[in-house]
Amino acid sequence: LPAEVNLAGAETELAPKLITGQAQRILKDKLAAVLHDESGADRFDFVLIDCPPSLGLLTINALTLAREVFVPMQAHFLALQGLSKLLETVGFIGQGFNPDLRVTGIILCMYEKQTILAQEVVGDLSDFLSANGDAQTPWRDCQILTPAVRRNIKLAECPSFGSTIFEYAPGSRGAEDYRQLAECVAKMVVAR
C-alpha cells in the first residue's frame, strides 16, 4: 500500500475523529475485510504499508494495523534521534492499540560505508539494539538488516520517470541492494 502525495489532506480529515478515539483505527477497520477472509484467516502472505516520514495520524493508523515495522533510515545522527521518537511511538501504540506490534529491522538507506559518520552511527545503533535485547520492548529482537542500500543515483532518478528501480535500472547497485534486502526479509519471515 504505497504512500502518495494525495494523502497530504488525510491528516486533516482524520483529526476530528481524535475526539471519538476512532482516528487511530480507521485503516485497520477499513482494511479488515480486504486483508482477512470470512473465517478471519489472512488473505495475503505480506502486506507492505509505506508511511510518510512523520509520526502523524497516517503513521499511527499503519502502526495500529501492522504486526511488524521495518524502519528505513540514513546513517546520520539526526536519523538516530528520529528513530528514538519512532520507537517511543511504537511502544505507545503497543500499550494501547496494538500489543502485537514489533520492530523487526532497520534498513540503512543512502548508505556510504566508507564515511566515519556512517560507521559511528551504525556502531551506536548496534550498541543500542544489543543493550535492549533482553528488555521487554517491541524492538527487543530488532536487527540491522543487510545489505545496506548504498547511495545510488539511479534510485534518485527512477521516481521522476514514474518507475520502480527494477523497471528503470534493474542492473544497478540500488536494484541489487533492494533485491537482496527483499530476500533477507522473506527468509526472516519464513524462518518463523
Side-chain angles (χ1 to χ4, degrees):
L1 303 172
E4 61 176 45
V5 173
N6 293 334
L7 290 172
E11 297 275 336
T12 306
E13 291 180 32
L14 290 172
K17 298 184 188 289
L18 279 170
I19 296 168
T20 63
Q22 296 300 309
Q24 298 85 351
R25 298 186 49 86
I26 288 176
L27 185 63
K28 185 173 187 169
D29 294 343
K30 295 283 184 188
L31 289 179
V34 174
L35 299 176
H36 309 288
D37 64 20
E38 297 79 29
S39 69
D42 292 338
R43 288 187 173 169
F44 302 97
D45 294 327
F46 301 96
V47 176
L48 300 174
I49 303 171
D50 183 22
C51 296
S54 67
L55 293 175
L57 284 173
L58 291 175
T59 301
I60 303 261
N61 264 269
L63 293 173
T64 300
L65 171 65
R67 293 182 189 147
E68 299 184 51
V69 178
F70 293 89
V71 182
M73 72 171 265
Q74 287 183 264
H76 294 174
F77 284 110
L78 289 178
L80 278 177
Q81 291 176 344
L83 176 64
S84 172
K85 292 296 180 194
L86 175 64
L87 294 179
E88 284 179 26
T89 302
V90 167
F92 170 75
I93 297 294
Q95 291 172 3
F97 300 107
N98 186 355
D100 297 325
L101 184 64
R102 67 176 182 229
V103 181
T104 301
I106 309 291
I107 300 167
L108 296 170
C109 299
M110 299 174 65
Y111 188 64
E112 297 172 299
K113 71 178 178 180
Q114 69 278 10
T115 66
I116 293 170
L117 173 64
Q119 294 169 19
E120 289 175 352
V121 169
V122 170
D124 288 350
L125 182 56
S126 295
D127 292 346
F128 171 78
L129 294 175
S130 294
N132 284 274
D134 295 333
Q136 291 301 311
T137 63
W139 53 89
R140 66 184 165 272
D141 297 319
C142 183
Q143 302 172 30
I144 300 172
L145 301 181
T146 57
V149 179
R150 296 167 283 180
R151 183 177 293 278
N152 180 257
I153 192 64
K154 298 297 184 191
L155 288 169
E157 292 172 352
C158 68
S160 66
F161 291 92
S163 300
T164 69
I165 190 63
F166 303 107
E167 297 162 333
Y168 179 70
S172 68
R173 290 185 324 181
E176 182 57 30
D177 290 347
Y178 275 111
R179 191 175 294 108
Q180 288 179 14
L181 189 60
E183 290 171 7
C184 171
V185 170
K187 287 177 187 175
M188 287 174 64
V189 173
V190 169
R192 290 191 205 124

